[in-house]
């Protein structure tokens, strides 16, 4: 039987994991290799710390199928392993929903499709993980990384939405489906789900309260390199510096950046409140959370498996958004309880922020991120939500 997964692929992933002190996965790698050597199809890469529960779910699913009389309708389709990376820590909605996704796929395929989830940036930065997906080194990643699909940035225009219903309407629109479909031809990836990356995003800094756009002047604000974040801060007079998410805590602590922007659940999960004093609940932007999958690997799957994975990914996205809504208020309270100041602008003050960033819309059209007609289409979708 063919051994799945090239040695070079194993070497690259193990090198990256070792660099982040995740040596404990080496034993699980041998188990994953043994599974592939038994004749499974798809990539064989080492099991992550979160993958042990996935393996257990897959084993339980297979046992259940046998107990039911051995009628396993998926046995003839082969075995596949899907390695997926993301940057969020344990407890974050993305982490929790990805674990559930892995369990759901294992159960629905009687254990013949195993999802190995590497959370907490074990496989690198979001950009590095997306590069691995494009190259086929790993099969998938979730995260707000748009370097290879910049058209997705149109959904991150500042103050485009202000309710969950509006966000959902945009992400489930025909426009969103069209933009996601463009990714396969441009990057060799398939986006199998588009949910919310963490909820509405807030400003914070270590210098003073931000109550008006003018309060951002002179501040050095961290971004992840996303154009619409840079444009937004620069429109209000701030300078920007790019710091990877996994390095942001130390960047704020050491003063590489004065401030940052993130949803409450991310701030709480990464403990940014320990190194930031002033927060402003401005709700200026949400980020789509695309689930990228290598197109060549995806298209090699039997149709039955693609249908199951897609259905499970849809449920995962819905669960993710529910967790964000449930956890955002508690995360904000954790920040308040720690002693941080949280300023809540009035309606008139928010209008001042909105007016200050209108140039971002024109810049996005000029740079080809979207057209003026697409902006109008998004605004119509939001108005009807």
């Amino acid at each position: 039987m063919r051994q799945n997964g090239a040695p070079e692929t194993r070497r690259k992933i193990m090198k990256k994991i070792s660099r982040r002190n995740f040596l404990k996965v080496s034993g699980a790698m041998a188990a994953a290799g043994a599974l592939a050597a038994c004749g499974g199809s798809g990539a064989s890469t080492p099991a992550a710390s979160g993958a042990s529960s996935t393996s257990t779910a897959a084993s339980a699913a297979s046992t259940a199928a046998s107990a039911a009389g051995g009628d396993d309708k998926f046995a003839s389709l082969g075995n596949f392993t899907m390695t997926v990376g993301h940057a969020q820590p344990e407890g974050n909605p993305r982490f929790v929903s990805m674990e559930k996704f892995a369990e759901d796929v294992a159960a629905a395929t009687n254990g013949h499709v195993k999802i190995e989830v590497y959370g907490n940036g074990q496989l690198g930065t979001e950009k590095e993980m997306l590069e691995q997906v494009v190259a086929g080194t790993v099969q998938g990643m979730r995260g707000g990384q748009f370097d290879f699909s910049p058209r997705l940035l149109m959904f991150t225009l500042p103050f485009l939405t202000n309710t969950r219903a509006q966000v959902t309407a945009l992400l489930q629109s025909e426009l969103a489906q069209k933009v996601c479909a463009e990714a396969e031809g441009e990057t060799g990836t398939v986006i199998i789900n588009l949910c919310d990356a963490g909820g509405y995003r807030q400003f914070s800094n270590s210098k003073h309260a931000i109550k008006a756009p003018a309060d951002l002047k002179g501040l050095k604000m961290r971004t992840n390199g996303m154009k619409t974040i840079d444009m937004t801060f620069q429109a209000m007079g701030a300078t920007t510096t790019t710091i990877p998410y996994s390095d942001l805590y130390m960047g704020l602590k050491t003063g590489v950046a004065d401030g940052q922007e993130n949803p409450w659940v991310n701030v709480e999960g990464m403990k940014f409140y320990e190194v930031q004093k002033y927060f402003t609940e401005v709700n200026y932007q949400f980020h789509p959370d695309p689930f990228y999958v290598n197109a060549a690997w995806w298209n090699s799957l039997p149709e039955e498996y693609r249908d199951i994975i897609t259905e499970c990914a849809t449920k995962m996205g819905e669960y993710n958004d529910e967790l964000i809504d449930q956890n955002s208020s508690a995360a904000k309270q954790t920040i308040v309880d720690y002693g941080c100041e949280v300023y809540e602008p009035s309606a008139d003050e928010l209008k001042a922020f909105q007016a200050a960033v209108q140039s971002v819309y024109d810049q996005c059209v000029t740079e080809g991120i979207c057209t003026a007609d697409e902006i109008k289409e998004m605004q119509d979708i939001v108005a009807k939500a």
Side-chain angles (χ1 to χ4, degrees):
M1 298 283 183
R2 177 172 62 89
Q3 175 73 36
N4 293 287
E8 180 65 14
T9 298
R10 294 167 176 269
R11 185 188 67 78
K12 287 181 179 179
I13 294 180
M14 283 307 299
K15 181 178 180 181
K16 189 168 291 293
I17 295 171
S18 297
R19 192 170 71 238
R20 289 166 172 76
N21 297 319
F22 285 91
L23 297 176
K24 61 183 179 180
V25 303
S26 57
M29 176 183 175
L35 276 173
C38 289
S41 302
S44 174
T45 46
S49 58
S52 58
S53 61
T54 307
S55 301
T56 301
S59 177
S62 296
T63 301
S66 299
D71 184 16
D72 185 351
K73 63 180 180 179
F74 300 114
S76 63
L77 298 181
N79 300 323
F80 292 81
T81 298
M82 180 183 188
T83 301
V84 182
H86 67 86
Q88 294 294 1
E90 187 170 357
N92 182 275
R94 186 182 298 163
F95 191 107
V96 175
S97 62
M98 282 302 300
E99 293 296 301
K100 185 177 187 303
F101 168 72
E103 294 171 1
D104 288 349
V105 171
T109 64
N110 294 336
H112 291 293
V113 178
K114 182 173 68 172
I115 312 295
E116 295 178 344
V117 180
Y118 292 75
N120 206 27
Q122 293 182 57
L123 296 184
T125 65
E126 289 189 340
K127 183 176 181 179
E128 289 170 340
M129 285 187 280
L130 182 53
E131 289 171 344
Q132 292 172 49
V133 175
V134 171
T137 307
V138 299
Q139 288 70 56
M141 71 85 66
R142 261 186 69 190
Q145 173 54 238
F146 310 127
D147 281 12
F148 299 161
S149 301
R151 293 257 295 149
L152 284 168
L153 288 172
M154 71 174 69
F155 301 110
T156 69
L157 284 167
F159 302 105
L160 179 62
T161 69
N162 54 37
T163 69
R164 165 60 65 198
Q166 292 172 350
V167 170
T168 300
L170 270 182
L171 295 182
Q172 294 181 357
S173 67
E174 291 183 2
L175 177 60
Q177 293 171 19
K178 180 185 76 172
V179 174
C180 287
E182 295 170 357
E184 181 171 2
E186 296 172 357
T187 69
T189 65
V190 176
I191 297 175
I192 63 171
N193 185 257
L194 196 64
C195 57
D196 186 349
Y200 282 109
R201 303 176 77 86
Q202 322 299 347
F203 299 156
S204 75
N205 79 104
S206 59
K207 301 296 185 181
H208 55 251
I210 298 172
K211 300 181 180 181
D215 295 328
L216 280 151
K217 290 182 178 179
L219 291 179
K220 185 187 294 184
M221 301 296 288
R222 175 267 179 182
T223 80
N224 61 0
M226 187 181 296
K227 283 187 177 181
T228 50
I229 303 177
D230 283 314
M231 292 173 182
T232 298
F233 281 140
Q234 291 164 9
M236 292 185 285
T239 60
T240 58
T241 183
T242 301
I243 302 174
Y245 188 68
S246 57
D247 299 331
L248 179 52
Y249 184 97
M250 288 304 300
L252 296 171
K253 183 176 182 178
T254 58
V256 175
D258 298 319
Q260 59 87 52
E261 55 76 56
N262 257 296
W264 293 125
V265 294
N266 291 8
V267 172
E268 191 271 339
M270 298 295 283
K271 300 186 185 300
F272 297 146
Y273 56 85
E274 295 180 349
V275 289
Q276 296 279 269
K277 174 67 174 177
Y278 304 97
F279 288 80
T280 302
E281 189 173 42
V282 68
N283 294 339
Y284 87 104
Q285 189 187 56
F286 82 92
H287 288 180
D289 188 355
F291 191 164
Y292 295 99
V293 178
N294 179 270
W297 182 84
W298 178 254
N299 292 326
S300 74
L301 290 173
E303 183 178 0
E304 293 92 331
Y305 286 163
R306 292 199 302 270
D307 290 344
I308 289 172
I309 293 172
T310 299
E311 182 179 354
C312 291
T314 298
K315 293 179 180 178
M316 172 206 68
E318 294 170 351
Y319 182 47
N320 173 83
D321 292 355
E322 290 173 4
L323 290 173
I324 289 171
D325 293 342
Q326 292 170 7
N327 295 338
S328 288
S329 294
K332 176 185 173 182
Q333 190 60 48
T334 296
I335 295 160
V336 171
D337 291 345
Y338 189 79
C340 297
E341 295 182 17
V342 176
Y343 185 74
E344 300 177 3
S346 67
D348 286 341
E349 288 171 328
L350 281 176
K351 288 179 181 178
F353 283 106
Q354 294 164 5
V357 300
Q358 283 306 299
S359 61
V360 177
Y361 285 65
D362 296 330
Q363 286 179 273
C364 284
V365 173
T366 300
E367 298 201 13
I369 291 170
C370 59
T371 66
D373 287 342
E374 286 171 333
I375 290 178
K376 178 64 165 58
E377 184 177 352
M378 289 190 293
Q379 291 171 334
D380 288 344
I381 291 169
V382 167
K384 294 175 183 177

